[in-house]
Every structure is written in structure tokens, then in C-alpha cells.
């Protein structure tokens, strides 16, 4: 989870460094003509640079154009200033269709003709939550309608990526508190996971284009994998996110740490060419810096080999990169490292039940891969010969008995919780 976050931030930082020299045109709210050869299909990054006072890096990275925004959001001027709301089509769809179903439909008044997203079994599960939480699904869609457009514009209009993350951080805390995500959200998702394998709403017909094979594949997946383990893992994650921290909740501390990490990534990408062109002595000096992550890049590029090169190599690399970030001598207690290691996150990473549920779920996914194949064809009480042309009986038996080895568990933990495995004193977590 944490290494995926590092990877995502590295991508954002690299994109930001590339885009920093580019400028916005009229479609981003800045005066100035578009180039003559401009078209809606032309890449955002192919534009000719021009003057700007609003770089809006998140728009640049995500390739969001003016018409993309106008398809979703209307700008409204009131006595209190500028406000944003979803376009009329979105508002009408939510008010006339989504809200009536999520707010007023129950298992008693449900029919196959008056519902789209929900079916009777899911409604029964949602109605079984505690009385104070039965309105959760309705509150979520109303919250989306009231605040969604403003949040979207605040994020994509942020002057810097870090400012955008700060906006996300603030809005996540507000949503968690107003919607009572830590109590009602948990109950809602428990009910959703419970009914997911049997979900048969009209939306499934629409998504699959009324294709019976695609609908059967949905049921095959959800009834083959261990949905209960997925549900338990998600519930424990949500519980961990809701732990109190100095930034409000644990999820806020994690997002704050992501912002700090992003600064390191951007610094690294800005100076990467100099690092790459320098001799080994210069590179070593850069890898010792605490305000950049050159050491992480060096660890990732180094070749590691294990018994199973396809998987072991990957986790050897990720573990080495995480160790290079958290355990670098002279940087272990630097603010950039402790910010990425809040105490509540450490508690989550030490939750053995959480990781056992994740591993059990992963094993069920791997064992279910043959059933997802187009070769999965049954005859009378046995799989067809066609299936065994795709999967030999020996390979099938091996796959159905596969488990995550202790070596693999250790490699995963050294990736996710590298701070625990540093030599010498343990890395100090941040409150």
C-alpha cells in the first residue's frame, strides 16, 4: 500500500517537473487565443507555450481541458461571490433518479420496475444497519450533490500539487465527520460486501449490455474469490483510517505525509539529469541527501535475484527501495521520513489480522484465475477437455493449492513496513 503511494507520487512529481515549463491557454480561464491548429483531439501537452498567471499543474497532469470542466460544472456568480455546481443534466439525473432510489426505496416498496442501482437483497442488507445509519447512502449522494462540484474545482484549480493534496486532506476530514464514515460508513460497506456476490440490479444489465455471458462472469468472480476476507480487510483499513491523529484522523496524517513525500519527488526529478550525468562519486553524494530520493532510485535500479525471478525480483526491488527511503543513515529521524510514518499507520502495518485477510483474499483470487478463463467449460459433472487444453491437470492442481509463502510474506512486509526493519534504532513515528 505504502510503496504504491510512493510510486504514484513519483509519477506525479515527474509529470509536474515536465509540465512546469508549460503554460495554460484560454481554455483554462486565462486570456489569450488558442493556436490555429488546435483541436479537441490534440494532446494537451502538444500546445505551444504562452503567457499565464495560473499554471494549474493538476489540470496539466490529468489533461483536463476547459470543455472537460464545462461538461461537469457550471460557474455561478452570487452575492457571496463565485460558486460552482454540477451541470443541469447531472443535477436533474441525481435529483430525479438517484436520490429517490437511494433515499426512499426500501425492500417493501421495491419492484424490478422502480429500481436501477439496488436490488431487493441489497436493500434488505442496507435496512438491517442500525437506525441512525440507515440514511447513510442518502446522505452520501446529497453530500456529493451539494459539495462535489466545489471540491472538484478547488482541487484541479490548485496552484500547486501540494495545495491540491491539502484541499483533498481538508475535504476528506470534513466528509468523514459529516457523514459519520467511521460508524455508518463501516456498517454500510459491511452490508454492501455481504450482498455483492448476489447483486442483480437492473444496472448490471445496463453495464453488460444485457450480455448473459458477462453477467455470469460477474457472478463467477464474486462467488469464487473470498469476498468475506476482502470485507474484513476493508473494514480494518477503514477502522485504521479513522484513528485519531494530530492532523485529525489517520487518513489525514497519511495524506499529509504524501504531500511531504511529493516535495522530495519533485526535487529529485528537477535535478535528476544532473544526477544521471554525474560520475559515481557525485551520485553517491546525492544519494545521501535527505531532501531528495536519489537513494531510492539507486536501490530500485540495482539488480536483485531470487528463487522465483518474476515475483521475488519485484519484491526484492520494492523492499530495497523502501529500505533506502526509511533507513538511510542521517535521514531516519528527518521530518520528511517521520511524516511518512505516522504512529497510526504503524499500528495498521502491525495489524496481523489485516494482512492475513489480505493474503487470504489474494490467494483466493489466484486460485480463481482458471475459472475466469474462456476455456472454463463444463460438461456433465466434469470440466471439458477444452479446459484442460488451456490448463493441464498438474498446473490446475498446483494453482488450486497455492499459498503465499513465508518468504513472500516477509518480502511484502519489508516493502510496506520497511521502517520496522532498519538497523539500529527504530524509526520514530510521528503523532
Amino acid at each position: 500500500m505504502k510503496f504504491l503511494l510512493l510510486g504514484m507520487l513519483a509519477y506525479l512529481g515527474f509529470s509536474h517537473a515536465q509540465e512546469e515549463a508549460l503554460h495554460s491557454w484560454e481554455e483554462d480561464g486565462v486570456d489569450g487565443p488558442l493556436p490555429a491548429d488546435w483541436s479537441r483531439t490534440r494532446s494537451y501537452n502538444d500546445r505551444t507555450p504562452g503567457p499565464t498567471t495560473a499554471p494549474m499543474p493538476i489540470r496539466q497532469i490529468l489533461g483536463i481541458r476547459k470543455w472537460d470542466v464545462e461538461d461537469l460544472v457550471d460557474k455561478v456568480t452570487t452575492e457571496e461571490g463565485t460558486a460552482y455546481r454540477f451541470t443541469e443534466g447531472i443535477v436533474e439525473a441525481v435529483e430525479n433518479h438517484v436520490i429517490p432510489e437511494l433515499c426512499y426505496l426500501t425492500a417493501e416498496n421495491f419492484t424490478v420496475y422502480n429500481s436501477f442501482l439496488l436490488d431487493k437483497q441489497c436493500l434488505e442488507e442496507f435496512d438491517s444497519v442500525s437506525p441512525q445509519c440507515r440514511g447513510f447512502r442518502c446522505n452520501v449522494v446529497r453530500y456529493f450533490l451539494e459539495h462535489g462540484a466545489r471540491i472538484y474545482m478547488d482541487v484541479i484549480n490548485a496552484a500547486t500539487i501540494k495545495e491540491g493534496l491539502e484541499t483533498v486532506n481538508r475535504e476528506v476530514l470534513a466528509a468523514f465527520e459529516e457523514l459519520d464514515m467511521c460508524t455508518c460508513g463501516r456498517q454500510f460497506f459491511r452490508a454492501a460486501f455481504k450482498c455483492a456476490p448476489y447483486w442483480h440490479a437492473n444496472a448490471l444489465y445496463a453495464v453488460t449490455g444485457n450480455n448473459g455471458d458477462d453477467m455470469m462472469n460477474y457472478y463467477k468472480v464474486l462467488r469464487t474469490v473470498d469476498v468475506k476476507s476482502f470485507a474484513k480487510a476493508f473494514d480494518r483499513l477503514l477502522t485504521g483510517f479513522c484513528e485519531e491523529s494530530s492532523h485529525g484522523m489517520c487518513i489525514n496524517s497519511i495524506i499529509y505525509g504524501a504531500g511531504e513525500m511529493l516535495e522530495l519527488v519533485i526535487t529529485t526529478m528537477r535535478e535528476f539529469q544532473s544526477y544521471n550525468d554525474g560520475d559515481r562519486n557525485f551520485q553517491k553524494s546525492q544519494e545521501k541527501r535527505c531532501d531528495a530520493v536519489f537513494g531510492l532510485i539507486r536501490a530500485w535500479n540495482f539488480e536483485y535475484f531470487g528463487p522465483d525471478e518474476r515475483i521475488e525480483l519485484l519484491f526484492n526491488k520494492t523492499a530495497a527501495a523502501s529500505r533506502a527511503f526509511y533507513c538511510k543513515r542521517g535521514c531516519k529521524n528527518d521530518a520528511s521520513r517521520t511524516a511518512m510514518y505516522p504512529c497510526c499507520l504503524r499500528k495498521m502495518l502491525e495489524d496481523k489480522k489485516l494482512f492475513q485477510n489480505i493474503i487470504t483474499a489474494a490467494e483466493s483470487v489466484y486460485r480463481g484465475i482458471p475459472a475466469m478463463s474462456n476455456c472454463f467449460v463444463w460438461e456433465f459433472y466434469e470440466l471439458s477437455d477444452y479446459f484442460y487444453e488451456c490448463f493441464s491437470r498438474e498446473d490446475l492442481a498446483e494453482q488450486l493449492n497455492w499459498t503465499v509463502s513465508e518468504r513472500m510474506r516477509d518480502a511484502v512486509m519489508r516493502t510496506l513496513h520497511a521502517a520496522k526493519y532498519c538497523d539500529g534504532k527504530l524509526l520514530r513515528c510521528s503523532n
Side-chain angles (χ1 to χ4, degrees):
M1 176 178 64
K2 190 158 53 177
F3 193 79
L4 289 175
L5 179 62
L6 292 178
M8 180 189 70
L9 291 174
Y11 167 76
L12 290 175
F14 183 69
S15 299
H16 177 72
Q18 287 184 314
E19 296 286 354
E20 198 173 43
L22 294 178
H23 305 284
S24 297
W25 284 92
E26 185 179 36
E27 86 270 28
D28 288 326
V30 180
D31 292 336
L34 290 172
D37 62 343
W38 180 262
S39 71
R40 288 177 69 101
T41 59
R42 183 182 172 193
S43 170
Y44 187 96
N45 293 337
D46 290 341
R47 67 181 61 191
T48 304
T52 179
T53 57
M56 300 182 185
I58 295 178
R59 286 197 184 204
Q60 294 176 4
I61 290 170
L62 299 180
I64 299 175
R65 304 165 178 84
K66 180 181 179 182
W67 49 79
D68 295 324
V69 176
E70 292 176 344
D71 287 342
L72 296 175
V73 177
D74 286 331
K75 186 177 181 180
V76 181
T77 302
T78 65
E79 295 180 356
E80 300 177 355
T82 300
Y84 297 99
R85 68 182 182 188
F86 287 115
T87 57
E88 184 177 350
I90 294 176
V91 172
E92 287 183 356
V94 173
E95 289 183 341
N96 296 337
H97 300 290
V98 181
I99 286 179
E101 179 174 9
L102 295 185
C103 296
Y104 307 117
L105 194 65
T106 66
E108 284 70 31
N109 62 17
F110 165 87
T111 71
V112 73
Y113 302 103
N114 67 358
S115 62
F116 180 72
L117 297 172
L118 302 175
D119 65 357
K120 188 169 184 178
Q121 182 157 335
C122 283
L123 280 167
E124 289 174 346
E125 293 295 340
F126 292 144
D127 289 344
S128 69
V129 302
S130 60
Q132 69 268 25
C133 293
R134 287 176 189 164
F136 176 81
R137 64 182 188 271
C138 179
N139 295 337
V140 167
V141 69
R142 291 187 184 279
Y143 191 90
F144 163 80
L145 196 60
E146 181 178 354
H147 302 286
R150 173 187 57 78
I151 295 171
Y152 173 70
M153 295 302 297
D154 286 349
V155 171
I156 68 171
N157 286 344
T160 64
I161 298 176
K162 187 172 183 179
E163 183 180 309
L165 281 175
E166 290 172 351
T167 301
V168 171
N169 203 359
R170 181 175 62 252
E171 296 297 343
V172 165
L173 179 61
F176 264 58
E177 291 179 343
E178 184 163 337
L179 296 172
D180 195 8
M181 184 68 71
C182 299
T183 299
C184 294
R186 288 180 63 197
Q187 292 185 29
F188 171 84
F189 285 111
R190 286 174 188 167
F193 275 109
K194 192 173 181 179
C195 73
Y198 312 99
W199 179 67
H200 197 74
N202 288 318
L204 182 60
Y205 286 87
V207 169
T208 60
N210 291 323
N211 186 301
D213 288 341
D214 290 340
M215 282 186 272
M216 286 304 300
N217 286 335
Y218 166 82
Y219 293 121
K220 235 182 347 182
V221 170
L222 269 294
R223 298 187 190 188
T224 300
V225 302
D226 191 341
V227 176
K228 288 184 178 179
S229 290
F230 275 108
K232 291 177 182 178
F234 184 85
D235 187 65
R236 296 188 82 85
L237 277 174
L238 188 54
T239 301
F241 289 152
C242 290
E243 286 282 332
E244 291 186 9
S245 75
S246 58
H247 293 92
M249 296 182 184
C250 188
I251 191 171
N252 300 114
S253 293
I254 294 172
I255 297 173
Y256 172 80
E260 295 299 305
M261 179 65 186
L262 183 61
E263 293 295 313
L264 306 183
V265 172
I266 291 174
T267 299
T268 303
M269 294 306 148
R270 282 175 180 162
E271 303 177 24
F272 180 77
Q273 193 62 51
S274 297
Y275 167 82
N276 196 47
D277 293 341
D279 58 26
R280 187 63 196 123
N281 287 333
F282 175 75
Q283 290 180 346
K284 286 181 178 179
S285 68
Q286 296 302 294
E287 290 160 11
K288 294 178 181 179
R289 292 171 56 179
C290 297
D291 64 340
V293 288
F294 291 110
L296 186 153
I297 294 174
R298 172 68 179 174
W300 175 261
N301 288 334
F302 191 77
E303 291 298 327
Y304 296 88
F305 296 95
D308 186 339
E309 292 185 6
R310 293 172 301 175
I311 300 177
E312 291 289 333
L313 174 59
L314 173 64
F315 282 110
N316 281 335
K317 281 177 171 287
T318 56
S322 291
R323 178 181 175 82
F325 177 76
Y326 283 103
C327 305
K328 176 67 67 177
R329 183 177 299 177
C331 298
K332 284 174 62 174
N333 291 319
D334 187 80
S336 61
R337 270 55 174 179
T338 56
M340 281 288 289
Y341 191 49
C343 296
C344 59
L345 177 60
R346 182 181 70 179
K347 183 178 178 181
M348 292 171 64
L349 293 172
E350 292 175 346
D351 185 348
K352 294 182 179 180
K353 289 184 178 180
L354 167 62
F355 283 97
Q356 184 55 53
N357 284 321
I358 292 175
I359 287 171
T360 302
E363 290 173 342
S364 74
V365 171
Y366 185 77
R367 293 168 186 167
I369 290 175
M372 303 305 111
S373 167
N374 291 331
C375 302
F376 189 77
V377 177
W378 274 85
E379 294 177 346
F380 187 69
Y381 277 95
E382 63 180 359
L383 286 163
S384 68
D385 292 338
Y386 174 59
F387 174 79
Y388 290 110
E389 292 177 5
C390 301
F391 298 90
S392 70
R393 295 179 187 274
E394 293 76 15
D395 289 343
L396 179 63
E398 182 179 342
Q399 191 154 352
L400 294 180
N401 290 306
W402 181 81
T403 59
V404 177
S405 67
E406 289 300 322
R407 185 178 62 249
M408 187 65 66
R409 290 175 186 237
D410 182 69
V412 171
M413 288 308 302
R414 287 180 182 274
T415 296
L416 298 177
H417 199 185
K420 179 181 178 181
Y421 298 91
C422 293
D423 297 330
K425 293 183 178 180
L426 293 177
L427 178 68
R428 183 178 68 248
C429 65
S430 58
N431 293 318

